[in-house]
Amino acid sequence: MTRRLLLATLGAVPLALSATSPIDASRLRSRLEELSLCGRVAGGSFADGVSRVAFSDADIAGRALVMRWMRKAGLDPKIDAAGNIFGRRAGSDSKLEPVLFGSHTDSVPNGGNFDGDLGTLSAIEVIEALNAQRIVTRRPLEIVDWTNEEGVAYNNGLFGSRAVAGLLDPGEMDAVWQGVSQKDALKKIGGDAGRIDSAKRSAGWFHAYFELHIEQGGNLDREKIPIGVVEGIVAIDRYEVEFRGFANHAGTTPMADRQDALLAASELTIAVNEIVRGEPGRQVGTIGHMEVIPNAPNVVPGMVKMTVELRDLSAEKILRLGGAVETRAREIAAKTRTALEFRKGSHHGSALADPKLQTLIEDSSAKLGFATKRLPSGAGHDAQSMARMGQMAMIFVPSVNGISHSPKELTRWEDCANGAAVLLETVRRAAS
Ligand code: HGY
Ligand code: MN
Ligand code: MN
């Protein structure tokens, strides 16, 4: 046994996928590259990332590719009322609950080529590998491409998985975004708002849920560890904030007479940073979206619409921080003589991965010669919706320099294939 193989067996050195790996690494790569064409900027390249926001034409094109590849793997893709795409592979005992695994293929604007895509396409690769090995698992297998995980559209993420888990917010189906109703957007992707309740499944409908995903942080890359085993996923609170001032002439309105909505929004942006960094911990706060109205160089901004997003493993902490942010927003509105609307946009509870499934991922990784590390997820995932219905676990692979939600998002091809191989081994064991 070579030294490298010995070290790999000990889990010290990642063993690049041997040529005999059942995962077809080159097909996974070429499909990730092909999917990246859906939402690529005109004249761009793979390195320019994607804009494949849910319900967009690019999203629809990406979903069509996923369904084509599911069919090629012998599945018969079905779209539920929430637009989720499911593909089921029979097991030897059809009475058993399936092992469910997958991810999403919608992206943020100017996003990366791996967030969600790796987990969704690797799920198809797992089916292809089992077909090639003529393995029939005892449990049925079900793979999924979730609708609107990112929640850029309608400012509320994990839409498809929340619909399945019965976690849609009251009135959520009446939302309108960029002039399109949630109902019409769903119709575009084959969903049906009128039957949205039919997407809901009962708790325990699956035996276990697994999701392979890029870490989107820098821990694994920095420590040169090929596989991450997620311990838990953060809680995420999003607020919609509006400051209403008074639009007026930029040249003739004295500074003292202004009701400048952007001044108020700017002060709140700095305040959020101060409040979130004002105590120890790994909590984060982001002002990611801001709309200035009328957004003209020679007009004092009359209105600003913005989002405040807070995240931490502790839902209690971000609830408390959200209260502090709202208090500061009211003080700023009074000081700038602007009117404030401060609304809770969405709350996604934190979720713990199942310890037994974490061990299963570690054992699968060790068998393949991959070192592992347990870590929390600062990113939200559909797995946190599935955690409300049963046991879930996530497999991470390194993000180079921890960059994500950016065209610079990058996971090495070898790490993509490693992740898919661990997903295959984990699913095979869980379904046996
Ligand atoms: O925003 C997130 O954490 C995830 O990438 N949707
Ligand atoms: Mn994601
Ligand atoms: Mn994302």
Side-chain angles (χ1 to χ4, degrees):
M1 183 184 277
T2 64
R3 175 175 146 67
R4 178 175 165 74
L5 193 55
L6 175 65
L7 287 173
T9 312
L10 298 174
V13 171
L15 177 71
L17 273 192
S18 65
T20 58
S21 163
I23 291 293
D24 184 333
S26 59
R27 179 175 52 203
L28 177 58
R29 169 173 180 167
S30 65
R31 287 182 171 178
L32 282 164
E33 289 172 335
E34 188 173 351
L35 181 57
S36 164
L37 292 170
C38 304
R40 181 174 297 174
V41 64
S45 69
F46 186 78
D48 295 311
V50 284
S51 289
R52 195 165 52 236
V53 173
F55 311 112
S56 65
D57 291 344
D59 182 34
I60 292 167
R63 290 162 56 91
L65 269 185
V66 165
M67 287 189 277
R68 177 171 11 128
W69 290 329
M70 280 186 175
R71 289 189 190 98
K72 272 195 166 177
L75 303 179
D76 176 18
K78 297 268 188 286
I79 299 177
D80 72 3
N84 299 308
I85 305 170
F86 288 99
R88 188 178 178 97
R89 184 179 195 261
S92 56
D93 185 344
S94 59
K95 293 185 302 306
L96 294 174
E97 291 81 14
V99 171
L100 176 70
F101 53 110
S103 193
H104 64 96
T105 49
D106 66 299
S107 83
V108 296
N110 304 322
N113 294 308
F114 301 87
D115 175 357
D117 300 354
L118 176 61
T120 308
L121 300 193
S122 295
I124 299 172
E125 278 305 318
V126 164
I127 302 295
E128 294 271 16
L130 293 170
N131 292 345
Q133 295 173 294
R134 299 190 193 293
I135 292 175
V136 177
T137 53
R138 188 165 68 93
R139 291 183 175 278
L141 304 180
E142 191 133 6
I143 68 174
V144 59
D145 179 1
W146 297 111
T147 302
N148 194 12
E149 186 275 346
E150 296 290 359
V152 170
Y154 303 95
N155 192 26
N156 197 346
L158 315 183
F159 174 80
S161 58
R162 285 189 298 114
V164 166
L167 297 171
L168 293 182
D169 297 333
E172 184 168 351
M173 296 310 295
D174 302 325
V176 176
W177 179 72
Q178 293 192 343
V180 179
S181 70
Q182 175 71 82
K183 291 187 179 75
D184 288 345
L186 262 186
K187 207 179 329 179
K188 278 180 75 178
I189 62 167
D192 181 349
R195 290 188 312 108
I196 194 67
D197 291 344
S198 67
K200 191 174 167 339
R201 311 273 189 115
S202 46
W205 70 279
F206 56 79
H207 171 62
Y209 174 74
F210 295 100
E211 184 164 350
L212 166 64
H213 205 285
I214 57 172
E215 182 196 342
Q216 298 181 291
N219 298 291
L220 298 175
D221 185 46
R222 201 172 27 253
E223 299 177 39
K224 304 272 178 281
I225 294 176
I227 298 293
V229 181
V230 174
E231 296 163 306
I233 305 170
V234 293
I236 305 177
D237 279 346
R238 275 192 196 170
Y239 297 88
E240 292 162 3
V241 182
E242 277 180 25
F243 284 104
R244 290 174 189 276
F246 189 84
N248 210 335
H249 196 292
T252 57
T253 311
M255 297 306 279
D257 295 351
R258 295 182 175 204
Q259 292 165 264
D260 185 336
L262 183 53
L263 179 64
S266 307
E267 288 199 18
L268 183 62
T269 301
I270 291 165
V272 166
N273 191 52
E274 287 167 354
I275 291 166
V276 172
R277 300 178 73 165
E279 61 181 75
R282 289 197 273 201
Q283 65 277 357
V284 290
T286 311
I287 312 283
H289 173 86
M290 189 178 280
E291 227 177 303
V292 181
I293 298 157
N295 203 25
N298 56 353
V299 181
V300 175
M303 186 199 295
V304 169
K305 297 181 180 179
M306 61 197 283
T307 57
V308 177
E309 190 195 77
L310 303 170
R311 301 188 185 202
D312 191 78
L313 276 174
S314 160
E316 176 282 323
K317 180 189 282 193
I318 59 174
L319 187 64
R320 177 168 49 77
L321 291 175
V325 168
E326 181 170 5
T327 303
R328 284 293 292 279
R330 297 205 179 286
E331 291 162 0
I332 291 167
K335 191 176 101 181
T336 55
R337 295 183 303 119
T338 54
L340 171 73
E341 253 195 78
F342 194 94
R343 288 187 306 273
K344 189 76 163 283
S346 63
H347 167 76
H348 298 158
S350 56
L352 294 177
D354 180 87
K356 294 188 303 311
L357 298 186
Q358 291 180 62
T359 305
L360 181 64
I361 294 169
E362 287 164 338
D363 293 347
S364 303
S365 303
K367 181 183 173 208
L368 295 169
F370 299 124
T372 59
K373 172 190 177 69
R374 291 198 179 193
L375 73 171
S377 172
H381 298 287
D382 293 302
Q384 66 199 104
S385 303
M386 290 302 104
R388 303 286 178 273
M389 307 191 87
Q391 53 182 356
M392 69 85 175
M394 290 192 74
I395 303 162
F396 272 176
V397 288
S399 292
V400 174
N401 299 324
I403 297 170
S404 180
H405 281 189
S406 154
K408 294 183 174 12
E409 177 181 285
L410 179 64
T411 290
R412 295 181 185 85
W413 295 117
E414 176 185 6
D415 288 328
C416 291
N418 294 348
V422 170
L423 179 65
L424 169 61
E425 181 62 19
T426 303
V427 164
R428 195 186 55 73
R429 290 179 180 213
S432 62

